Amino acid sequence: MSARPEQIDVVRQWVDKADNDLKNAVHTLTMGEDCPLDTVCFHAQQCVEKYLKAWLAFHAIDFPKSHDLTELAALLPDNRVVPLSTDDYVSLTDYAIVTRYPGDWEIIHRTDAERAVTLAQQVRRAIRAMFPREVADGQ
């Protein structure tokens, strides 16, 4: 698939933002005992969301302003591109919606945050591998 230059620019912007979220998540995990695990999970979710949106933008598929990863994944032209299960999408989506604000939500453990980062890294690898050189080389 050959994308238009302006389309490539938009896709690269999504990828840059996604990568920044992943950098934040990975770096924050290095804080040890003082690590805000909810923030790690939030940034991991944001990375996945933005990579899904980058892939949709690359295919010129309109998508809603939504943090719901299940909803976004349903729009993917080939759902096999992303190695996540429905349960993964649901748990990551909760990190974008439920944990952003004060309230009554389950405690996030370090293993949850590490898992969220691992999922984000898997999505990043899978989608970047599918991009043509004109997208991937811009990174």
Side-chain angles (χ1 to χ4, degrees):
M1 172 180 194
S2 181
R4 298 179 321 274
E6 64 275 6
Q7 187 178 359
I8 295 299
D9 185 51
V10 168
V11 172
R12 285 182 181 153
Q13 289 176 43
W14 279 110
V15 167
D16 287 346
K17 288 292 189 181
D19 285 345
N20 285 342
D21 280 310
L22 185 57
K23 287 175 191 173
N24 270 302
V26 169
H27 177 71
T28 304
L29 270 177
T30 67
M31 294 177 68
E33 293 289 321
D34 199 34
C35 178
L37 299 171
D38 59 329
T39 302
V40 171
C41 292
F42 172 75
H43 283 292
Q45 183 283 338
Q46 286 290 287
C47 174
V48 172
E49 177 183 328
K50 290 168 186 166
Y51 263 106
L52 293 178
K53 289 178 177 179
W55 189 244
L56 292 168
F58 179 74
H59 287 282
I61 297 171
D62 290 332
F63 51 85
K65 290 183 179 182
S66 173
H67 299 296
D68 186 331
L69 300 180
T70 305
E71 180 181 7
L72 294 171
L75 299 173
L76 294 173
D78 182 355
N79 199 23
R80 293 172 293 161
V81 139
V82 181
L84 298 187
S85 69
T86 301
D87 288 343
D88 292 332
Y89 285 131
V90 169
S91 66
L92 286 169
T93 296
D94 282 348
Y95 297 141
I97 298 169
V98 177
T99 62
R100 284 175 66 187
Y101 304 102
D104 187 24
W105 38 273
E106 289 185 37
I107 293 173
I108 296 172
H109 300 282
R110 184 165 191 87
T111 55
D112 300 322
E114 290 169 348
R115 171 80 175 142
V117 168
T118 297
L119 293 173
Q121 291 168 330
Q122 289 173 352
V123 168
R124 180 184 187 274
R125 271 192 305 276
I127 291 179
R128 285 180 68 88
M130 300 294 289
F131 280 135
R133 174 170 282 148
E134 61 188 326
V135 172
D137 284 352
Q139 305 310 312

